[in-house]
Amino acid sequence: MRFLKIGGRTPTEKLIRLLATLLVVVVVGWAFWKNNQNMMERVYADKPFWDETGSVTPQMRAFAKDFARTMQESYGLEARLRIRRTSVDRPQPQTGRLFLGLCPAKRQAVFVAPLEWDAQRTQELTEYLEHKHFERHWGADWQQGLKSALILIWNQQRDKSISLEEAAGEAPLVDETDGLDQTARAFVQRFAEALERDFGQTCRIRIFQDKVVVPDLDNRTMFIGLSPSRGEALVSFPPMMRRALGQEFERDMMRTHFPAHFASGDWPLGLKTALIQIWQTLAGEEFK
């Protein structure tokens, strides 16, 4: 059955006509696709979240929508979150609107802050999100990267005084309670620097007002999360440190060491002695 009959007096003329016909079909198809894409963009223009790829999990979709709703209700900011199949166009900055677009296929992230944000803070956050944050998440983990990026944006908006490092969860120490004095903070900082320098491991120590929340951790990061008000302690070591410290070290810290110091009311001392014990076991000498 012949669907397409191409006339022509010579084989060359027939070939030219065939190619011209195919070109018309391609152009019409492209125009139809482009019109359909533009129509979809108009439909979703005022929606807070649009996943063009259809790959976002229901849980992540709900989280993104909750983020957008909370930003609107708490700060009067409209959030526009876009997951694109091909590439992300950078919109013009607007007052009262932030934009985050991702194209996982091209490993592209585009962030546009509201016009009223401080210029320096906007530049730092844009550089971080577009060129650093997602680098460790591209691939199967990009949705977790999106979640942590939204948490980072929220933290920056909620507390403009904190550093980008703290908001991103990469600072060695974040103390929501302000229960550690300057000497204790300096001790933790020295420990973190020595751990990185001598053993190639990083540490994240978090003191929470309420329940302990575990941040994203890689296979070279130790985590100590404390909630003095709830008497909670969560300790997690990366594989290398876990082998060096022994399988029972984490359990003893969570079940015995920190509960005793919560009970005595001196959890800062408990944190300091925990770090000393860790260092003694790793290095064979006391950390001072």
Side-chain angles (χ1 to χ4, degrees), residues 179-180 184 187-188 205 207 222 224 226 228 233 235 249 252-254 256-278:
L180 294 175
F187 183 88
V188 172
I205 296 174
I207 316 300
M222 62 163 277
I224 297 178
L226 305 178
V235 180
F249 201 98
D252 290 343
M253 284 283 167
M254 290 187 285
T256 304
H257 179 84
F258 283 111
H261 287 280
F262 286 141
S264 70
D266 196 359
W267 64 265
L269 177 62
L271 176 59
K272 181 177 181 179
T273 53
L275 297 183
I276 290 173
Q277 288 181 38
I278 292 170

Side-chain angles (χ1 to χ4, degrees), residues 9-67:
R9 288 174 293 183
T10 66
T12 300
E13 185 179 350
K14 288 182 179 181
L15 177 60
I16 292 174
R17 289 187 177 187
L18 175 61
L19 293 176
T21 301
L22 292 176
L23 179 61
V24 170
V25 172
V26 169
V27 170
V28 171
W30 177 85
F32 176 80
W33 172 81
K34 192 67 176 177
N35 180 69
N36 184 64
Q37 183 185 46
N38 291 339
M39 183 176 66
M40 291 296 293
E41 289 181 357
R42 289 194 296 271
V43 169
Y44 283 96
D46 291 325
K47 300 288 185 181
F49 181 72
W50 178 24
D51 170 27
E52 189 182 20
T53 68
S55 62
V56 174
T57 65
Q59 295 83 0
M60 186 64 240
R61 186 183 300 273
F63 185 90
K65 290 181 177 179
D66 286 344
F67 167 84

Side-chain angles (χ1 to χ4, degrees), residues 189-200:
Q189 185 65 39
R190 292 199 309 275
F191 173 87
E193 292 171 355
L195 189 69
E196 177 79 28
R197 181 190 65 238
D198 294 354
F199 298 101

Side-chain angles (χ1 to χ4, degrees), residues 43-209:
V43 169
Y44 283 96
D46 291 325
K47 300 288 185 181
F49 181 72
W50 178 24
D51 170 27
E52 189 182 20
T53 68
S55 62
V56 174
T57 65
Q59 295 83 0
M60 186 64 240
R61 186 183 300 273
F63 185 90
K65 290 181 177 179
D66 286 344
F67 167 84
R69 183 176 62 252
T70 306
M71 290 295 284
Q72 177 69 56
E73 294 174 353
S74 300
Y75 304 110
L77 290 177
E78 295 181 359
R80 295 294 180 265
L81 311 173
R82 301 290 183 259
I83 314 300
R84 305 304 300 263
R85 284 197 300 261
T86 53
S87 61
V88 182
D89 296 327
R90 185 181 300 276
Q92 291 296 317
Q94 297 184 39
T95 300
R97 176 175 290 187
L98 65 85
F99 174 88
L100 178 63
L102 303 181
C103 177
K106 291 191 174 182
R107 297 174 175 256
Q108 179 194 18
V110 173
F111 175 72
V112 179
L115 270 175
E116 64 269 27
W117 276 22
D118 173 77
Q120 181 176 352
R121 182 164 64 110
T122 293
Q123 181 179 358
E124 290 177 352
L125 187 55
T126 301
E127 286 289 326
Y128 179 82
L129 287 174
E130 293 188 355
H131 303 295
K132 182 178 178 182
H133 175 79
F134 286 98
E135 285 306 308
R136 67 178 183 270
H137 291 291
W138 290 130
D141 198 32
W142 70 265
Q143 293 192 47
Q144 182 60 41
L146 172 59
K147 183 176 182 179
S148 57
L150 298 183
I151 294 172
L152 167 61
I153 295 169
W154 169 263
N155 286 338
Q156 279 279 285
Q157 174 62 33
R158 181 190 62 180
D159 188 351
K160 299 177 177 61
S161 66
I162 65 174
S163 68
L164 180 58
E165 185 183 44
E166 290 176 311
E170 295 186 353
L173 173 67
V174 177
D175 178 12
E176 296 179 359
T177 68
D178 289 325
L180 294 175
D181 59 25
Q182 195 59 41
T183 300
R185 289 174 177 272
F187 183 88
V188 172
Q189 185 65 39
R190 292 199 309 275
F191 173 87
E193 292 171 355
L195 189 69
E196 177 79 28
R197 181 190 65 238
D198 294 354
F199 298 101
Q201 307 289 287
T202 58
C203 80
R204 301 287 181 264
I205 296 174
R206 303 290 182 262
I207 316 300
F208 296 92
Q209 290 276 14

